[in-house]
Amino acid sequence: MNVVITGSTKGIGLGLAREFLRRGHAVMVSSRRSDAVEQVVADLRREYPRERVAGQPCDVGDFEQVQKLWDAAVAALGRVDIWINNAGRDGMKVPFFMLPPEDMKQTITTNLIGLMNCNRVCITGMYRQKGGWIWNMEGFGSNGAVRPTVGVYGASKYAVRYFTKAMAKELEKTPVRMGYLSPGIVATDLLVPPPDRRGERWEQNKKILNILADTVETVTPFLVEGMLAAEKNGTAVRWLTNGKVRWRFFKALFVKRDVFGPLGA
Ligand SMILES: NC(=O)c1ccc[n+]([C@@H]2O[C@H](COP(=O)([O-])OP(=O)(O)OC[C@H]3O[C@@H](n4cnc5c(N)ncnc54)[C@H](OP(=O)(O)O)[C@@H]3O)[C@@H](O)[C@H]2O)c1
């Protein structure tokens, strides 16, 4: 399989890239920063056959750049079997009235407009090549959950689930397949604020996150396994089910976890 992953120079995206490569697939990595893309391509080519690793910078908020990413993937890999819309940001965690408008705009542009740009390009491309899977990354808010200070991020991810559902319906009689991905809570830069932006609630939050969160290395094999096994349009691959949450809280009475290590110290 040939796989394109947006926002794959670190975090979950990079973990997914490594997991596909480990299983013998070919991957196109991407993010906004060309130096980061070059570095990740060089690193991955040291570990895996160079012809299975390609890279192209792309800001998903810019439609032209997304089209170029598709074209570069087809040129490098031949066709695109799986495209994962993983690029995302969560923005500042402050009450909405204090949020700089630019921060709000960037979150919506990446998480929603960017994801739509990618779907627009992929649906056309995959229709022409007569097949392919598009996976859209959900996040906090996708299931309707609400929490103060994450209104914009939550709204974008709530919309991602709606949009994915709508696209799955639209694509029913086509060769293109659409799926939902949900990684649960993962110890990445997106989840863990840098030390100077942690605020007094970080230590309290960390206690809960240590019960529910996982590492990239734990979650990505599950997500890749689920994507490769999917057959039905509209398949959801979700890591943290309600049952798992209940089990984690019960287990926390007996076992203490530290999923963040030096990242959260
Ligand atoms: N971590 C979690 O707990 C969690 C939970 C649920 C869902 N998710 C979702 O999973 C996805 C990945 O999250 P993560 O935790 O791995 O985040 P991360 O570690 O912050 O990585 C985000 C990646 O996206 C890239 N990116 C950001 N803005 C972009 C843009 N406009 N265009 C292209 N690439 C862009 C970043 O690179 P550049 O900055 O160089 O562009 C980076 O490679 C996101 O959609 C997030 O909402 C995460």
Side-chain angles (χ1 to χ4, degrees):
M1 295 273 179
N2 299 328
V3 187
V4 177
I5 308 166
T6 66
S8 45
T9 50
K10 60 179 183 165
I12 298 167
L14 179 56
L16 292 172
R18 283 188 188 285
E19 191 56 30
F20 277 112
L21 285 165
R22 203 178 61 76
R23 291 164 189 247
H25 304 284
V27 170
M28 166 73 90
V29 291
S30 182
S31 82
R32 287 169 301 181
R33 285 181 35 216
S34 50
D35 58 336
V37 173
E38 275 168 29
Q39 186 61 56
V40 167
V41 168
D43 291 347
L44 293 175
R45 280 184 174 164
R46 272 193 289 276
E47 293 170 54
Y48 302 97
R50 61 179 294 114
E51 66 278 7
R52 288 206 278 116
V53 182
Q56 164 85 11
C58 170
D59 183 336
V60 294
D62 179 335
F63 187 83
E64 301 302 321
Q65 291 188 37
V66 175
Q67 184 62 58
K68 278 190 186 144
L69 177 59
W70 172 277
D71 295 341
V74 171
L77 310 174
R79 61 179 266 130
V80 179
D81 302 300
I82 297 176
W83 178 298
I84 304 170
N85 288 312
N86 168 77
R89 81 186 295 275
D90 72 342
M92 289 169 67
K93 296 216 174 46
V94 293
F96 182 65
F97 77 94
M98 292 167 68
L99 191 69
E102 186 50 36
D103 191 90
M104 168 179 81
K105 193 172 152 194
Q106 274 186 36
T107 302
I108 297 299
T109 304
T110 299
N111 297 4
L112 194 52
I113 308 282
L115 178 131
M116 288 178 176
N117 283 339
C118 291
N119 277 266
R120 177 69 179 76
V121 165
C122 283
I123 290 170
T124 315
M126 287 180 176
Y127 196 82
R128 282 203 192 110
Q129 67 176 23
K130 299 189 173 59
W133 271 92
I134 302 168
W135 294 91
N136 290 335
M137 188 63 90
E138 300 188 333
F140 180 81
S142 285
N143 65 358
V146 173
R147 208 172 57 216
T149 76
V150 286
V152 175
Y153 178 85
S156 74
K157 293 296 185 178
Y158 192 55
V160 165
R161 184 172 292 186
Y162 180 96
F163 178 74
T164 307
K165 197 172 175 184
M167 289 306 102
K169 215 172 186 60
E170 236 177 71
L171 293 168
E172 253 164 23
K173 294 196 169 63
T174 78
V176 185
R177 297 278 170 270
M178 183 70 57
Y180 311 79
L181 271 189
S182 178
I185 303 171
V186 190
T188 65
D189 289 353
L190 182 140
L191 185 72
V192 184
D196 57 325
R197 282 181 46 197
R198 280 186 188 160
E200 70 248 16
R201 285 171 62 186
W202 168 245
E203 284 305 318
Q204 192 57 35
N205 290 346
K206 210 166 85 172
K207 283 190 191 134
I208 300 288
L209 293 174
N210 261 324
I211 296 171
L212 295 178
D214 290 287
T215 62
V216 166
E217 291 73 22
T218 302
V219 169
T220 49
F222 171 88
L223 297 178
V224 170
E225 191 88 47
M227 283 187 271
L228 292 172
E231 289 175 2
K232 210 167 147 275
N233 183 36
T235 295
V237 180
R238 298 198 176 103
W239 166 255
L240 198 58
T241 55
N242 288 340
K244 218 179 247 171
V245 170
R246 283 194 292 274
W247 171 241
R248 285 283 177 84
F249 277 110
F250 175 69
K251 237 171 71 176
L253 298 171
F254 312 101
V255 186
K256 294 277 169 273
R257 299 165 81 231
D258 177 18
V259 288
F260 297 102
L263 188 68

